[in-house]
Structure formats: C-alpha cells, structure tokens
Coordinates of all heavy atoms in Angstrom, one line a residue:
M23 N 10.4 6.7 -21.6 CA 10.3 7.9 -20.7 C 11.4 7.7 -19.6 O 11.7 6.6 -19.0 CB 8.9 7.8 -20.0 CG 8.7 9.0 -19.0 SD 7.0 9.0 -18.7 CE 6.9 9.6 -17.2
A24 N 12.2 8.7 -19.4 CA 13.3 8.7 -18.5 C 12.8 8.6 -17.0 O 11.9 9.2 -16.6 CB 14.2 9.9 -18.7
V25 N 13.6 7.9 -16.2 CA 13.3 7.9 -14.8 C 14.2 8.9 -14.1 O 15.3 9.0 -14.3 CB 13.7 6.4 -14.3 CG1 13.4 6.3 -12.8 CG2 12.9 5.3 -15.0
E26 N 13.5 9.7 -13.3 CA 14.2 10.8 -12.6 C 14.6 10.4 -11.2 O 13.9 9.7 -10.5 CB 13.3 12.0 -12.5 CG 13.1 12.6 -14.0 CD 12.3 13.9 -13.8 OE1 12.4 14.6 -12.8 OE2 11.6 14.3 -14.7
Q27 N 15.8 10.8 -10.9 CA 16.3 10.6 -9.5 C 15.5 11.6 -8.6 O 15.2 12.7 -8.9 CB 17.8 11.0 -9.5 CG 18.5 10.7 -8.2 CD 20.0 11.0 -8.3 OE1 20.5 11.6 -7.4 NE2 20.7 10.7 -9.4
L28 N 15.3 11.1 -7.4 CA 14.7 11.9 -6.4 C 15.5 13.1 -5.9 O 16.8 12.9 -5.9 CB 14.3 11.1 -5.1 CG 13.2 10.0 -5.3 CD1 13.1 9.2 -4.0 CD2 11.9 10.5 -5.8
S29 N 15.0 14.2 -5.6 CA 15.7 15.3 -5.1 C 16.2 14.9 -3.6 O 15.6 14.0 -3.0 CB 15.0 16.6 -5.1 OG 13.9 16.5 -4.2
E30 N 17.0 15.7 -3.0 CA 17.4 15.4 -1.6 C 16.2 15.5 -0.7 O 16.0 14.8 0.2 CB 18.5 16.3 -1.2 CG 19.1 16.1 0.1 CD 20.3 17.0 0.5 OE1 20.9 17.6 -0.4 OE2 20.7 17.0 1.7
E31 N 15.4 16.6 -1.0 CA 14.2 16.8 -0.1 C 13.2 15.6 -0.3 O 12.6 15.1 0.7 CB 13.6 18.1 -0.6 CG 12.4 18.5 0.3 CD 11.8 19.8 -0.1 OE1 12.5 20.9 0.0 OE2 10.6 19.9 -0.6
E32 N 13.0 15.2 -1.6 CA 12.1 14.1 -1.7 C 12.6 12.8 -1.2 O 11.9 12.0 -0.5 CB 11.9 13.8 -3.3 CG 11.1 14.9 -4.0 CD 11.2 14.8 -5.5 OE1 12.3 14.4 -6.1 OE2 10.2 15.0 -6.2
R33 N 13.9 12.5 -1.3 CA 14.6 11.4 -0.7 C 14.4 11.4 0.8 O 14.0 10.4 1.4 CB 16.0 11.4 -1.1 CG 16.8 10.1 -0.6 CD 18.2 10.1 -1.1 NE 18.9 11.2 -0.5 CZ 19.7 12.1 -1.2 NH1 19.7 12.0 -2.5 NH2 20.3 13.1 -0.6
D34 N 14.6 12.5 1.5 CA 14.5 12.6 2.9 C 13.0 12.4 3.4 O 12.8 11.7 4.4 CB 15.0 14.0 3.4 CG 16.5 14.2 3.3 OD1 17.2 13.1 3.1 OD2 16.9 15.3 3.4
S35 N 12.1 12.9 2.6 CA 10.7 12.7 2.9 C 10.3 11.2 2.8 O 9.6 10.7 3.7 CB 9.8 13.6 2.0 OG 8.5 13.4 2.2
W36 N 10.8 10.6 1.7 CA 10.4 9.2 1.5 C 11.0 8.3 2.6 O 10.4 7.3 3.1 CB 10.7 8.7 0.1 CG 9.7 9.1 -0.9 CD1 9.7 9.9 -1.9 CD2 8.3 8.6 -0.9 NE1 8.5 10.1 -2.6 CE2 7.6 9.2 -2.0 CE3 7.6 7.7 -0.1 CZ2 6.4 9.0 -2.3 CZ3 6.3 7.5 -0.4 CH2 5.7 8.1 -1.5
L37 N 12.3 8.6 3.0 CA 12.9 7.8 4.0 C 12.2 7.9 5.3 O 12.2 6.9 6.1 CB 14.4 8.2 4.2 CG 15.3 7.7 3.1 CD1 16.7 8.3 3.3 CD2 15.4 6.1 3.3
R38 N 11.6 9.0 5.7 CA 10.8 9.1 6.8 C 9.5 8.2 6.7 O 9.1 7.7 7.8 CB 10.4 10.5 7.1 CG 11.5 11.4 7.6 CD 11.0 12.8 8.1 NE 10.4 13.6 7.1 CZ 11.1 14.4 6.2 NH1 12.4 14.4 6.3 NH2 10.5 15.1 5.4
A39 N 9.1 8.0 5.5 CA 7.8 7.2 5.3 C 8.3 5.6 5.3 O 7.4 4.8 5.3 CB 7.2 7.5 4.0
L40 N 9.6 5.4 5.1 CA 10.1 4.0 5.1 C 11.1 3.8 6.2 O 12.3 3.7 6.0 CB 10.8 3.8 3.8 CG 9.9 3.8 2.5 CD1 10.8 3.9 1.2 CD2 9.0 2.7 2.4
P41 N 10.6 3.8 7.5 CA 11.5 3.8 8.6 C 12.5 2.7 8.7 O 13.6 2.7 9.4 CB 10.6 3.9 9.8 CG 9.3 3.4 9.3 CD 9.2 3.7 7.9
K42 N 12.1 1.5 8.1 CA 13.0 0.3 8.2 C 14.1 0.3 7.1 O 14.9 -0.6 7.1 CB 12.1 -1.0 8.1 CG 11.2 -1.1 9.3 CD 10.3 -2.3 9.3 CE 9.4 -2.3 10.5 NZ 8.5 -3.4 10.5
W43 N 14.0 1.2 6.2 CA 15.0 1.3 5.2 C 16.1 2.4 5.5 O 15.7 3.4 6.0 CB 14.4 1.6 3.9 CG 13.5 0.5 3.3 CD1 12.2 0.2 3.8 CD2 13.9 -0.5 2.4 NE1 11.8 -0.9 3.1 CE2 12.8 -1.4 2.3 CE3 15.1 -0.8 1.7 CZ2 12.9 -2.5 1.5 CZ3 15.1 -1.9 0.9 CH2 14.0 -2.7 0.7
L44 N 17.3 2.1 5.2 CA 18.4 3.1 5.5 C 19.0 3.6 4.2 O 19.1 2.9 3.2 CB 19.5 2.4 6.3 CG 19.0 1.9 7.6 CD1 20.2 1.1 8.3 CD2 18.6 2.9 8.6
S45 N 19.3 4.9 4.2 CA 20.0 5.5 3.1 C 21.5 4.9 3.0 O 22.1 4.6 4.0 CB 20.1 7.0 3.2 OG 20.8 7.6 2.2
C46 N 22.0 4.6 1.8 CA 23.3 4.2 1.6 C 23.8 4.7 0.3 O 23.1 5.3 -0.5 CB 23.4 2.6 1.6 SG 22.4 1.8 0.4
R47 N 25.1 4.5 0.0 CA 25.8 4.9 -1.1 C 25.5 6.5 -1.4 O 25.2 7.0 -2.4 CB 25.2 4.2 -2.4 CG 25.6 2.7 -2.4 CD 25.1 2.0 -3.6 NE 25.2 0.6 -3.4 CZ 24.7 -0.3 -4.3 NH1 24.1 0.1 -5.3 NH2 24.8 -1.6 -4.0
D48 N 25.8 7.2 -0.3 CA 25.6 8.6 -0.3 C 24.3 9.1 -0.8 O 24.2 10.1 -1.6 CB 26.8 9.3 -1.1 CG 28.1 9.1 -0.5 OD1 28.3 9.1 0.7 OD2 29.1 8.9 -1.3
G49 N 23.3 8.4 -0.4 CA 21.9 8.8 -0.7 C 21.4 8.3 -2.1 O 20.3 8.5 -2.6
A50 N 22.3 7.5 -2.9 CA 21.9 7.0 -4.1 C 21.1 5.6 -4.1 O 20.7 5.2 -5.1 CB 23.2 6.7 -5.0
A51 N 21.0 5.1 -2.9 CA 20.2 3.8 -2.7 C 19.7 3.8 -1.3 O 20.0 4.6 -0.5 CB 21.2 2.7 -3.0
I52 N 18.8 2.8 -1.1 CA 18.3 2.4 0.2 C 18.5 0.9 0.4 O 18.6 0.2 -0.5 CB 16.8 2.8 0.4 CG1 16.0 2.2 -0.7 CG2 16.7 4.3 0.5 CD1 14.4 2.5 -0.5
E53 N 18.6 0.6 1.7 CA 18.8 -0.8 2.0 C 18.1 -1.2 3.2 O 17.8 -0.4 4.1 CB 20.3 -1.1 2.2 CG 20.9 -0.5 3.4 CD 22.4 -0.7 3.6 OE1 23.1 -1.4 2.7 OE2 23.0 -0.3 4.6
R54 N 17.8 -2.6 3.3 CA 17.1 -3.1 4.5 C 17.6 -4.5 4.6 O 17.8 -5.3 3.7 CB 15.6 -3.1 4.3 CG 14.9 -3.6 5.5 CD 13.4 -3.5 5.5 NE 12.9 -4.2 6.7 CZ 11.6 -4.4 6.8 NH1 10.7 -4.0 5.9 NH2 11.2 -5.1 7.9
K55 N 17.8 -4.9 5.9 CA 18.3 -6.2 6.3 C 17.1 -7.0 6.9 O 16.3 -6.4 7.8 CB 19.4 -6.1 7.3 CG 20.7 -5.5 6.6 CD 21.8 -5.4 7.5 CE 22.9 -4.6 6.8 NZ 24.1 -4.5 7.6
F56 N 16.9 -8.2 6.5 CA 15.9 -9.0 7.0 C 16.4 -10.3 7.7 O 17.5 -10.8 7.2 CB 14.9 -9.5 5.9 CG 14.3 -8.3 5.1 CD1 15.0 -7.7 4.1 CD2 13.1 -7.9 5.4 CE1 14.5 -6.7 3.3 CE2 12.5 -6.8 4.7 CZ 13.2 -6.2 3.6
E57 N 15.7 -10.8 8.7 CA 16.2 -12.1 9.3 C 14.9 -12.9 9.5 O 13.9 -12.5 10.0 CB 16.9 -11.8 10.7 CG 17.5 -13.0 11.2 CD 18.4 -12.8 12.4 OE1 19.1 -11.7 12.4 OE2 18.4 -13.7 13.3
F58 N 15.0 -14.2 9.1 CA 14.0 -15.1 9.1 C 14.3 -16.3 10.0 O 15.5 -16.4 10.5 CB 13.6 -15.6 7.7 CG 13.2 -14.4 6.8 CD1 14.2 -13.8 6.0 CD2 11.9 -14.0 6.8 CE1 13.8 -12.8 5.2 CE2 11.5 -12.9 6.0 CZ 12.4 -12.3 5.2
S59 N 13.4 -17.2 10.3 CA 13.7 -18.3 11.1 C 14.6 -19.4 10.6 O 15.4 -20.1 11.3 CB 12.3 -19.0 11.5 OG 11.7 -19.5 10.5
D60 N 14.6 -19.5 9.3 CA 15.5 -20.5 8.7 C 15.6 -20.1 7.1 O 15.1 -19.2 6.6 CB 15.0 -21.9 8.8 CG 13.5 -22.0 8.3 OD1 13.1 -21.3 7.3 OD2 12.8 -23.0 8.7
F61 N 16.4 -20.9 6.4 CA 16.7 -20.6 5.0 C 15.4 -20.7 4.1 O 15.3 -20.0 3.3 CB 17.8 -21.7 4.5 CG 18.0 -21.5 3.0 CD1 18.8 -20.5 2.6 CD2 17.5 -22.4 2.1 CE1 19.0 -20.3 1.2 CE2 17.7 -22.3 0.7 CZ 18.5 -21.2 0.3
S62 N 14.6 -21.7 4.4 CA 13.4 -21.9 3.6 C 12.5 -20.6 3.7 O 12.0 -20.2 2.7 CB 12.5 -23.1 4.1 OG 13.2 -24.2 3.8
E63 N 12.4 -20.0 4.9 CA 11.6 -18.8 5.0 C 12.2 -17.7 4.3 O 11.6 -16.9 3.6 CB 11.4 -18.5 6.4 CG 10.3 -17.5 6.7 CD 10.1 -17.2 8.2 OE1 10.1 -18.1 9.0 OE2 9.9 -15.9 8.5
A64 N 13.5 -17.6 4.4 CA 14.3 -16.5 3.7 C 14.2 -16.7 2.2 O 13.9 -15.7 1.4 CB 15.8 -16.5 4.1
F65 N 14.2 -17.9 1.7 CA 14.2 -18.1 0.3 C 12.8 -17.9 -0.3 O 12.6 -17.4 -1.4 CB 14.7 -19.6 -0.1 CG 14.9 -19.8 -1.5 CD1 16.1 -19.4 -2.1 CD2 13.9 -20.3 -2.4 CE1 16.4 -19.5 -3.4 CE2 14.2 -20.5 -3.7 CZ 15.4 -20.1 -4.2
S66 N 11.8 -18.3 0.5 CA 10.4 -18.0 0.1 C 10.1 -16.5 0.0 O 9.5 -16.1 -1.0 CB 9.5 -18.5 1.2 OG 8.1 -18.2 0.9
F67 N 10.7 -15.7 0.9 CA 10.6 -14.2 0.8 C 11.3 -13.8 -0.4 O 10.7 -12.9 -1.1 CB 11.2 -13.7 2.1 CG 11.4 -12.2 2.0 CD1 10.4 -11.3 2.1 CD2 12.7 -11.7 1.9 CE1 10.5 -9.9 2.1 CE2 12.8 -10.3 1.8 CZ 11.8 -9.4 1.9
M68 N 12.4 -14.2 -0.7 CA 13.2 -13.8 -1.9 C 12.4 -14.2 -3.1 O 12.4 -13.4 -4.1 CB 14.6 -14.4 -1.9 CG 15.5 -13.9 -0.8 SD 17.1 -14.7 -0.8 CE 17.8 -14.2 -2.4
T69 N 11.7 -15.3 -3.2 CA 10.9 -15.7 -4.4 C 9.7 -14.7 -4.5 O 9.5 -14.3 -5.7 CB 10.4 -17.1 -4.2 OG1 11.5 -18.0 -4.0 CG2 9.6 -17.6 -5.3
R70 N 9.1 -14.3 -3.4 CA 8.0 -13.4 -3.5 C 8.5 -12.0 -4.1 O 7.9 -11.4 -4.9 CB 7.2 -13.3 -2.2 CG 6.5 -14.6 -1.9 CD 5.7 -14.5 -0.6 NE 6.8 -14.3 0.4 CZ 6.5 -14.1 1.7 NH1 5.3 -14.1 2.1 NH2 7.5 -14.0 2.6
V71 N 9.6 -11.6 -3.6 CA 10.3 -10.4 -4.0 C 10.5 -10.4 -5.5 O 10.4 -9.5 -6.3 CB 11.5 -9.9 -3.1 CG1 12.2 -8.7 -3.8 CG2 11.0 -9.6 -1.7
A72 N 11.1 -11.6 -5.9 CA 11.5 -11.7 -7.3 C 10.3 -11.6 -8.2 O 10.4 -11.1 -9.3 CB 12.2 -13.1 -7.5
M73 N 9.2 -12.2 -7.8 CA 8.0 -12.1 -8.6 C 7.5 -10.6 -8.7 O 7.1 -10.2 -9.9 CB 6.9 -12.9 -8.0 CG 7.2 -14.4 -7.9 SD 7.7 -15.2 -9.5 CE 6.2 -15.1 -10.4
I74 N 7.6 -9.9 -7.6 CA 7.2 -8.4 -7.8 C 8.2 -7.7 -8.6 O 7.8 -6.9 -9.5 CB 7.2 -7.8 -6.3 CG1 6.1 -8.4 -5.4 CG2 7.1 -6.3 -6.4 CD1 6.2 -8.1 -4.0
A75 N 9.5 -8.0 -8.5 CA 10.5 -7.4 -9.3 C 10.3 -7.7 -10.8 O 10.4 -6.7 -11.7 CB 11.9 -7.9 -8.9
E76 N 9.9 -8.9 -11.1 CA 9.7 -9.2 -12.6 C 8.5 -8.4 -13.1 O 8.5 -7.9 -14.3 CB 9.4 -10.7 -12.7 CG 10.7 -11.5 -12.8 CD 11.5 -11.2 -14.0 OE1 11.1 -11.4 -15.2 OE2 12.6 -10.7 -13.8
T77 N 7.4 -8.3 -12.4 CA 6.2 -7.6 -12.9 C 6.5 -6.1 -13.0 O 5.9 -5.4 -13.8 CB 5.0 -7.8 -12.0 OG1 5.2 -7.3 -10.7 CG2 4.6 -9.3 -11.9
R78 N 7.4 -5.6 -12.2 CA 7.7 -4.2 -12.3 C 9.0 -3.9 -13.1 O 9.3 -2.7 -13.3 CB 7.9 -3.6 -10.9 CG 6.7 -3.7 -10.0 CD 7.0 -3.2 -8.6 NE 5.7 -2.9 -7.9 CZ 5.2 -1.8 -7.9 NH1 5.7 -0.8 -8.5 NH2 4.0 -1.6 -7.3
D79 N 9.6 -4.9 -13.6 CA 10.9 -4.7 -14.3 C 11.8 -3.8 -13.5 O 12.5 -2.9 -14.0 CB 10.6 -4.2 -15.7 CG 11.8 -4.3 -16.6 OD1 12.7 -5.2 -16.4 OD2 12.0 -3.4 -17.5
H80 N 11.9 -4.1 -12.2 CA 12.8 -3.3 -11.4 C 13.4 -4.3 -10.3 O 12.7 -4.7 -9.4 CB 12.0 -2.2 -10.7 CG 12.9 -1.2 -10.0 ND1 13.9 -0.5 -10.6 CD2 13.0 -0.9 -8.7 CE1 14.5 0.2 -9.7 NE2 14.0 0.0 -8.5
H81 N 14.7 -4.6 -10.5 CA 15.3 -5.8 -9.8 C 16.2 -5.2 -8.7 O 17.1 -4.4 -9.0 CB 16.0 -6.7 -10.8 CG 15.0 -7.2 -11.8 ND1 14.8 -6.5 -13.0 CD2 14.2 -8.2 -11.8 CE1 13.9 -7.1 -13.7 NE2 13.5 -8.2 -13.0
P82 N 16.0 -5.9 -7.5 CA 16.9 -5.4 -6.5 C 18.3 -6.1 -6.5 O 18.5 -7.1 -7.2 CB 16.2 -6.0 -5.2 CG 15.5 -7.2 -5.7 CD 15.1 -6.8 -7.1
E83 N 19.2 -5.4 -5.8 CA 20.5 -6.0 -5.5 C 20.3 -6.7 -4.2 O 19.8 -6.1 -3.3 CB 21.6 -5.0 -5.4 CG 21.8 -4.2 -6.7 CD 22.7 -3.0 -6.6 OE1 23.5 -3.0 -5.6 OE2 22.7 -2.2 -7.4
W84 N 20.7 -7.9 -4.1 CA 20.5 -8.6 -2.8 C 21.6 -9.6 -2.5 O 22.4 -10.0 -3.3 CB 19.1 -9.2 -2.6 CG 18.6 -10.2 -3.7 CD1 19.4 -10.8 -4.6 CD2 17.3 -10.5 -3.9 NE1 18.6 -11.6 -5.4 CE2 17.3 -11.4 -4.9 CE3 16.2 -10.2 -3.3 CZ2 16.1 -12.1 -5.5 CZ3 15.0 -10.8 -3.8 CH2 15.0 -11.7 -4.8
F85 N 21.6 -10.0 -1.2 CA 22.6 -10.9 -0.6 C 21.9 -11.8 0.3 O 21.1 -11.3 1.1 CB 23.7 -10.0 0.1 CG 24.8 -10.9 0.7 CD1 25.8 -11.5 -0.1 CD2 24.8 -11.1 2.1 CE1 26.8 -12.2 0.6 CE2 25.8 -11.8 2.7 CZ 26.7 -12.4 1.9
N86 N 22.2 -13.1 0.3 CA 21.5 -14.0 1.2 C 22.6 -15.0 1.7 O 23.4 -15.5 1.0 CB 20.4 -14.8 0.4 CG 20.0 -16.1 1.2 OD1 20.2 -17.1 0.7 ND2 19.3 -15.8 2.3
V87 N 22.4 -15.2 3.1 CA 23.2 -16.2 3.8 C 22.2 -16.8 4.8 O 21.7 -16.1 5.7 CB 24.5 -15.7 4.5 CG1 25.1 -16.8 5.3 CG2 25.5 -15.2 3.6
Y88 N 21.9 -18.1 4.6 CA 21.0 -18.9 5.4 C 19.8 -18.1 5.7 O 18.9 -18.1 4.8 CB 21.8 -19.3 6.7 CG 20.9 -20.2 7.6 CD1 20.4 -21.4 7.1 CD2 20.5 -19.7 8.9 CE1 19.5 -22.1 7.9 CE2 19.7 -20.6 9.7 CZ 19.2 -21.8 9.2 OH 18.3 -22.5 9.9
N89 N 19.5 -17.5 6.8 CA 18.3 -17.0 7.2 C 18.3 -15.4 7.1 O 17.3 -14.8 7.5 CB 17.8 -17.3 8.6 CG 18.7 -16.7 9.7 OD1 19.9 -16.5 9.4 ND2 18.2 -16.5 10.9
R90 N 19.3 -14.9 6.5 CA 19.4 -13.4 6.4 C 19.4 -13.0 4.9 O 20.0 -13.6 4.0 CB 20.8 -12.9 7.0 CG 20.8 -13.0 8.4 CD 22.2 -12.7 9.1 NE 23.1 -13.7 8.6 CZ 24.4 -13.4 8.1 NH1 24.8 -12.1 8.0 NH2 25.2 -14.3 7.6
V91 N 18.7 -11.9 4.7 CA 18.5 -11.3 3.3 C 18.8 -9.8 3.5 O 18.2 -9.2 4.3 CB 17.2 -11.6 2.7 CG1 17.0 -10.9 1.3 CG2 16.8 -13.0 2.6
E92 N 19.7 -9.3 2.6 CA 19.9 -7.9 2.5 C 19.6 -7.4 1.1 O 19.9 -8.0 0.2 CB 21.4 -7.6 2.8 CG 21.9 -8.0 4.2 CD 23.3 -7.9 4.4 OE1 24.0 -7.2 3.6 OE2 23.9 -8.5 5.4
I93 N 18.7 -6.3 1.1 CA 18.3 -5.8 -0.2 C 18.7 -4.4 -0.3 O 18.5 -3.6 0.6 CB 16.7 -5.9 -0.3 CG1 16.3 -7.4 -0.2 CG2 16.2 -5.2 -1.5 CD1 14.8 -7.5 -0.3
T94 N 19.2 -4.1 -1.4 CA 19.6 -2.7 -1.8 C 18.8 -2.3 -3.1 O 18.7 -3.0 -4.0 CB 21.1 -2.5 -2.1 OG1 21.8 -2.9 -1.0 CG2 21.4 -1.1 -2.4
L95 N 18.2 -1.1 -3.0 CA 17.4 -0.6 -4.1 C 18.0 0.7 -4.6 O 18.3 1.6 -3.9 CB 15.9 -0.4 -3.7 CG 15.1 -1.6 -3.2 CD1 13.8 -1.2 -2.7 CD2 15.0 -2.6 -4.3
T96 N 18.2 0.7 -5.9 CA 18.6 2.0 -6.6 C 18.2 1.8 -8.1 O 17.9 0.8 -8.5 CB 20.2 2.1 -6.5 OG1 20.5 3.5 -6.9 CG2 20.9 1.1 -7.3
T97 N 18.1 3.0 -8.7 CA 17.7 2.9 -10.1 C 18.9 3.4 -10.9 O 19.2 4.5 -11.0 CB 16.5 3.9 -10.4 OG1 15.4 3.5 -9.5 CG2 16.0 3.9 -11.8
H98 N 19.5 2.4 -11.6 CA 20.7 2.7 -12.4 C 20.5 3.7 -13.5 O 21.3 4.6 -13.8 CB 21.3 1.4 -12.9 CG 21.7 0.4 -11.8 ND1 22.8 0.6 -11.1 CD2 21.1 -0.6 -11.3 CE1 22.9 -0.3 -10.2 NE2 21.9 -1.1 -10.3
D99 N 19.3 3.6 -14.2 CA 18.9 4.5 -15.3 C 18.8 5.9 -14.8 O 19.0 6.9 -15.5 CB 17.5 4.1 -15.9 CG 17.7 2.7 -16.6 OD1 18.8 2.3 -16.9 OD2 16.7 2.2 -16.9
A100 N 18.5 6.1 -13.5 CA 18.3 7.5 -12.9 C 19.6 7.9 -12.3 O 19.8 9.1 -11.9 CB 17.2 7.5 -11.9
G101 N 20.6 7.0 -12.1 CA 21.8 7.4 -11.4 C 21.7 7.5 -9.9 O 22.5 8.2 -9.3
G102 N 20.6 6.9 -9.4 CA 20.4 7.0 -8.0 C 19.0 6.6 -7.6 O 18.3 5.9 -8.3
L103 N 18.6 7.1 -6.4 CA 17.3 6.7 -5.9 C 16.1 7.4 -6.7 O 16.2 8.6 -7.0 CB 17.2 7.1 -4.4 CG 16.1 6.5 -3.6 CD1 16.4 5.0 -3.5 CD2 16.1 7.1 -2.2
S104 N 15.1 6.6 -7.0 CA 13.9 7.1 -7.8 C 12.7 6.7 -7.0 O 12.7 5.8 -6.2 CB 14.0 6.7 -9.2 OG 13.6 5.3 -9.3
L105 N 11.6 7.1 -7.6 CA 10.3 6.7 -7.0 C 10.0 5.2 -7.3 O 9.4 4.6 -6.5 CB 9.1 7.6 -7.7 CG 7.8 7.4 -7.1 CD1 7.8 7.8 -5.6 CD2 6.8 8.4 -7.8
R106 N 10.7 4.6 -8.3 CA 10.6 3.2 -8.5 C 11.1 2.4 -7.3 O 10.5 1.4 -6.9 CB 11.4 2.8 -9.7 CG 10.7 3.4 -11.0 CD 11.6 2.9 -12.3 NE 11.1 1.6 -12.6 CZ 11.7 0.8 -13.5 NH1 12.8 1.2 -14.0 NH2 11.3 -0.4 -13.7
D107 N 12.1 2.9 -6.7 CA 12.7 2.3 -5.5 C 11.8 2.4 -4.4 O 11.7 1.4 -3.6 CB 14.1 2.9 -5.2 CG 15.1 2.8 -6.4 OD1 15.3 1.7 -6.9 OD2 15.6 3.8 -6.8
V108 N 11.3 3.5 -4.2 CA 10.3 3.7 -3.0 C 9.1 2.8 -3.2 O 8.7 2.1 -2.2 CB 9.9 5.2 -3.0 CG1 8.7 5.4 -2.0 CG2 11.1 6.1 -2.7
K109 N 8.5 2.7 -4.4 CA 7.4 1.8 -4.6 C 7.8 0.3 -4.4 O 7.0 -0.4 -3.8 CB 6.9 2.1 -6.0 CG 6.2 3.4 -6.2 CD 5.7 3.5 -7.6 CE 5.0 4.9 -7.8 NZ 4.4 5.1 -9.1
M110 N 9.0 0.0 -4.8 CA 9.4 -1.4 -4.6 C 9.6 -1.6 -3.1 O 9.2 -2.7 -2.6 CB 10.7 -1.6 -5.4 CG 11.2 -3.1 -5.3 SD 10.1 -4.1 -6.3 CE 11.1 -5.6 -6.2
A111 N 10.2 -0.7 -2.3 CA 10.4 -0.9 -0.9 C 9.1 -1.0 -0.2 O 8.9 -1.9 0.7 CB 11.1 0.3 -0.4
R112 N 8.1 -0.2 -0.6 CA 6.7 -0.4 0.0 C 6.1 -1.7 -0.3 O 5.5 -2.4 0.5 CB 5.8 0.7 -0.5 CG 6.3 2.1 0.1 CD 5.5 3.2 -0.6 NE 4.2 3.1 -0.2 CZ 3.4 4.1 0.2 NH1 3.9 5.3 0.2 NH2 2.1 4.0 0.4
K113 N 6.3 -2.3 -1.5 CA 5.8 -3.6 -1.9 C 6.4 -4.7 -1.0 O 5.8 -5.6 -0.6 CB 5.9 -3.9 -3.4 CG 5.0 -3.1 -4.3 CD 3.6 -3.7 -4.1 CE 2.7 -3.2 -5.2 NZ 1.4 -3.7 -5.0
I114 N 7.8 -4.5 -0.9 CA 8.5 -5.5 0.0 C 8.1 -5.4 1.4 O 7.8 -6.5 2.0 CB 10.0 -5.2 -0.2 CG1 10.5 -5.5 -1.6 CG2 10.8 -6.0 0.8 CD1 11.9 -5.1 -2.0
D115 N 7.9 -4.3 1.9 CA 7.4 -4.2 3.3 C 6.0 -4.8 3.4 O 5.8 -5.4 4.5 CB 7.4 -2.7 3.7 CG 8.7 -2.1 4.0 OD1 9.7 -2.8 4.1 OD2 8.8 -0.8 4.1
A116 N 5.2 -4.6 2.4 CA 3.8 -5.2 2.5 C 3.8 -6.7 2.6 O 2.9 -7.3 3.1 CB 3.0 -4.7 1.3
L117 N 4.9 -7.3 2.1 CA 5.0 -8.8 2.2 C 5.0 -9.3 3.6 O 4.7 -10.4 3.9 CB 6.2 -9.3 1.4 CG 6.2 -9.2 -0.1 CD1 7.5 -9.5 -0.7 CD2 5.0 -10.0 -0.7
L118 N 5.6 -8.4 4.4 CA 5.8 -8.8 5.9 C 4.8 -8.2 6.8 O 4.9 -8.4 8.1 CB 7.2 -8.4 6.3 CG 8.3 -9.0 5.4 CD1 9.7 -8.3 5.8 CD2 8.3 -10.5 5.6
A119 N 3.9 -7.5 6.3 CA 2.8 -6.9 7.1 C 1.7 -7.9 7.6 O 1.5 -8.9 7.1 CB 2.1 -5.8 6.4

C-alpha cells in the first residue's frame, strides 16, 4: 500500500498540533531539536526512539553531539511529509511527557 504525502492543508493542521516541531525542506519534512543534561541522557533518548522506529519500520534522520539530538522526519516513499511522520513525532513527544 502506497504512503501518501500530506496535502498543504493537512500539513499545516498537523503542525499546529505538533507545536515543538518545525517545518523544513519546503514542507517536505519536520524537525525538532532536543537538549539533555548529558550524553548518557541523550543516548538513552535516542535508544528509545530507535526502538519505536524499528517497530514502526519508520526511521528518523538524526544528528547527535554530546547532549543535543536533532531529529528530522520525512517519508521518502511519499516524497515528503506523511501521516507516518506525524505519528512518529507524537510518539517521540510522548517519551518526554
């Protein structure tokens, strides 16, 4: 089953529901930056995200330096942002709730 890219209206609506995530790549992706107290806390967070990504078969693009983690979500199969990215962002946010 093909994954569909969100329409501009859907993307805007979901971004309002995900206030800590920012649109990037001309609306084709969303990103969020995280800062933790140290590397161990950042790595622990990344491990938890990795476990979610594996179960969903939807893997983020990310960057880590010491206590900072930057995550970008996009669906390559859809050519941009999809509902899979939104659901993943919500799961990531729930880790910090």
Side-chain angles (χ1 to χ4, degrees):
M23 185 163 150
V25 180
E26 291 187 29
Q27 189 177 135
L28 295 176
S29 69
E30 186 175 345
E31 184 178 296
E32 290 170 324
R33 186 177 63 233
D34 292 344
S35 177
W36 278 114
L37 277 173
R38 285 190 297 277
L40 298 166
K42 295 180 181 178
W43 292 83
L44 301 174
S45 178
C46 63
R47 299 183 187 169
D48 294 325
I52 53 175
E53 66 182 4
R54 182 172 173 192
K55 297 177 182 181
F56 303 85
E57 189 169 326
F58 300 93
S59 61
D60 57 27
F61 177 75
S62 293
E63 191 177 322
F65 195 83
S66 174
F67 169 74
M68 290 176 67
T69 301
R70 291 180 296 175
V71 172
M73 299 306 291
I74 293 168
E76 276 297 295
T77 62
R78 295 176 163 272
D79 192 29
H80 190 59
H81 303 89
E83 298 173 17
W84 54 17
F85 178 77
N86 164 246
V87 174
Y88 184 58
N89 67 332
R90 293 175 293 137
V91 177
E92 299 175 13
I93 297 179
T94 303
L95 298 173
T96 190
T97 302
H98 299 285
D99 293 344
L103 199 63
S104 77
L105 192 55
R106 294 181 81 191
D107 303 305
V108 170
K109 290 179 179 180
M110 186 71 176
R112 290 173 64 139
K113 285 286 190 183
I114 292 169
D115 285 350
L117 292 174
L118 300 172

